[in-house]
Each structure stands twice: as C-alpha cells, then as structure tokens.
Amino acid sequence: MICLFLGAVLCGGTAAAQHTLGVTGGYGYGNARFYPDQETRAVWGCYTAGVTWRYYGPQRFVGGFGIDFEYLQRGFSFLQNPTEEDPAKWYTRRVKSLMLPIVWQPHIYLFKNRMRVYLDAAVFFSYNISSTFINEQGSTVSPEQSKGPWRGEYDFKVVRDNRWGYGLAGGGGVAVLVKQLEFSVRVRYYFGYSDLLRNHNKYAGNTTDGYENPFYTTPQRSPLDNLTFSIGVSYRFNKSGFTEWNNRPPKRDKNKEVFNYKGVTK
C-alpha cells in the first residue's frame, strides 16, 4: 500500500521534481521506562536500516514531509532485586520491530544549496516481529529447580504482550547535496507511548511462566525508547533542484519621494 502511494506520487508529472527516495542504516541503544520504577541500563548494539521518502514543498524553511519504513532493534535490561548474598542479576530483552515514522522535516540550506541542516519531528507506529531474552537468575539454578531455559527466543502471548505500538520521535541532521544525490548524517530519539507488556490488570500466568517473564506482577507502564545514529543516501528525481531554491520573497521598492523644503516658511 505504501509502495502504491509512493508510486502514484512520484509519477505525478512535474511534482516529481520535489521528491527524494533513499536508504538509511545506523546504530544505537534501547531502554525502557517502567512504572513502578526499575533500575535499568541501556542496551547498546541496536541496529536499524530502512527506506526513506520525502516531499519538499516550495515554501522556504517549511521543509519536507515524508514516511520512513524501518527495521529497528529495541530492548531493555533491568536489575532483579539484588541482595548482599545474591549478586546483581540482570534480565535483558531484545526486540526486533518494524517502524513506520510519519515525519515533518523543517530545514535551511547553506553554502549555495549544497548543504541542508534539518530537524525531525515524527509520530511513529510499530510492530514487534520477534524477541530474545537473557535471565541471569536462571543461569545459576540447579536443573532440579530450573523453570526452563534462561535464554533464547521469547514467545509472545496475546494476554501478556503487545506487538503493536506507537510514540513520538525527534532529532536532526545534516545532508550534503552532490548533484542529484544527498548524503546525510542523522540522530533520532524514539519516545514510546505504548506498553510492551499489557498493563493495569495482573497477568495470571506470571507465577507459572519460565525465566522469559521475570515480572511477578505486570508493570503498569512499560514503553520502549531508542536513540539511533544513522547515515543515509537519497536520490532526487530531477536535475534542476527544488522549487524552494528559487523561491525568494519579492524585494520592496524604496520610497523615492523627496520632500521639497522650498516654500516652507518658519
């Protein structure tokens, strides 16, 4: 459906001159915001890759509107009730997600339209396709007392887990324009509003789950956040450039009226 939409827009005659299509790839970290609070740490090694499309209007500084379709690794790690007798044991989840940010990108051009400095403001929707877990508490338990594997694939359950999500994203970057190509560097923060685990009601299977679920009661809030650093390359669908480059406000005519002091009496 997205491909049909982009195809229709790109084939829209002269309007195609205002479009770019590109690819991005990057690296960053993920974390979670639990309520009640848990002691967490960032999970680095979260990779991202995707396709980006932008439409740039003729108005100056307003920038572009577009859609990204991304693969993003997310995750979190939290400390499980440490004591003096029992050293710290961490529970870590990594989640592979498909992301659909809808982006507004205000910008300015520098160096005779050879560089673009821009901001990102987006609302995104996501779908969690798979996940893995590591529960260090289970690594020290004897086989007789074990509740199953302490690491491996995480099985999503409809009554416990949310696959769909949404949130806001913001950031900025710099793009260098070389003929019809744009090479960009971008930083973006994803601020989740939906919960990874279903909230408000206690999940009845918490006490019988294996090491994949360390929560005795379902957290009331469990949104995921990500910080990514990306590079990208985009192609502009014309040679002459964007309409915005030639869109300058009209110059105001100076008032050429001259006051004649002759005949003025004191």
Side-chain angles (χ1 to χ4, degrees):
M1 192 169 180
I2 297 173
C3 295
L4 293 175
F5 170 73
L6 295 180
V9 173
L10 294 176
C11 295
T14 58
Q18 307 302 310
H19 296 265
T20 64
L21 186 66
V23 294
T24 60
Y27 177 87
Y29 73 79
N31 209 340
R33 290 175 284 111
F34 291 110
Y35 179 79
D37 290 336
Q38 301 279 354
E39 183 177 347
T40 62
R41 63 182 180 183
V43 176
W44 286 90
C46 295
Y47 293 94
T48 179
V51 179
T52 178
W53 165 79
R54 294 290 182 272
Y55 169 78
Y56 296 96
Q59 296 81 12
R60 299 180 68 199
F61 311 125
V62 173
F65 166 82
I67 297 175
D68 298 339
F69 184 66
E70 300 175 325
Y71 164 80
L72 177 64
Q73 294 178 342
R74 312 161 83 186
F76 65 88
S77 186
F78 82 91
L79 192 59
Q80 302 182 79
N81 301 321
T83 63
E84 294 182 0
E85 296 79 14
D86 188 15
K89 295 293 191 300
W90 292 87
Y91 172 84
T92 302
R93 278 273 304 277
R94 290 181 178 269
V95 184
K96 299 177 181 179
S97 302
L98 298 178
M99 312 288 288
L100 187 69
I102 302 173
V103 185
W104 174 49
Q105 193 179 84
H107 62 227
I108 58 173
Y109 286 99
L110 301 173
F111 306 114
K112 296 182 179 180
N113 301 323
R114 292 188 177 93
M115 177 180 289
R116 177 192 295 121
V117 179
Y118 61 87
L119 299 176
D120 265 353
V123 56
F124 71 83
F125 302 93
S126 64
Y127 179 78
N128 301 324
I129 54 179
S130 65
S131 180
T132 60
F133 75 96
I134 299 177
N135 192 335
E136 295 178 356
Q137 278 191 345
S139 64
T140 58
V141 177
S142 62
E144 294 78 14
Q145 298 177 331
S146 176
K147 296 189 295 183
W150 58 274
R151 63 185 303 164
E153 290 291 326
Y154 181 91
D155 293 327
F156 284 90
K157 295 182 179 181
V158 175
V159 294
R160 179 183 64 195
D161 306 292
N162 283 322
R163 284 187 181 267
W164 296 95
Y166 59 91
L168 299 176
V174 176
V176 177
L177 285 64
V178 181
K179 295 183 178 180
Q180 289 179 251
L181 296 178
E182 297 186 13
F183 300 93
S184 62
V185 178
R186 184 192 72 195
V187 58
R188 179 182 286 176
Y189 193 86
Y190 297 84
F191 189 85
Y193 275 91
S194 59
D195 296 315
L196 180 66
L197 301 167
R198 297 191 182 278
N199 57 356
H200 300 308
N201 296 320
K202 293 182 178 180
Y203 166 54
N206 277 23
T207 56
T208 59
D209 279 347
Y211 292 113
E212 79 278 4
N213 181 24
F215 301 102
Y216 294 104
T217 59
T218 303
Q220 295 182 26
R221 294 303 314 273
S222 55
L224 298 180
D225 295 347
N226 271 79
L227 178 66
T228 61
F229 303 90
S230 303
I231 59 174
V233 58
S234 296
Y235 178 79
R236 186 178 71 244
F237 286 87
N238 77 327
K239 295 182 179 181
S240 59
F242 297 112
T243 304
E244 178 186 351
W245 293 356
N246 302 313
N247 186 9
R248 295 292 184 269
K251 294 183 178 180
R252 295 182 179 180
D253 293 332
K254 295 182 179 180
N255 189 358
K256 298 181 180 180
E257 183 178 352
V258 179
F259 186 78
N260 186 4
Y261 288 91
K262 295 180 180 180
V264 177
T265 59
K266 294 183 180 180

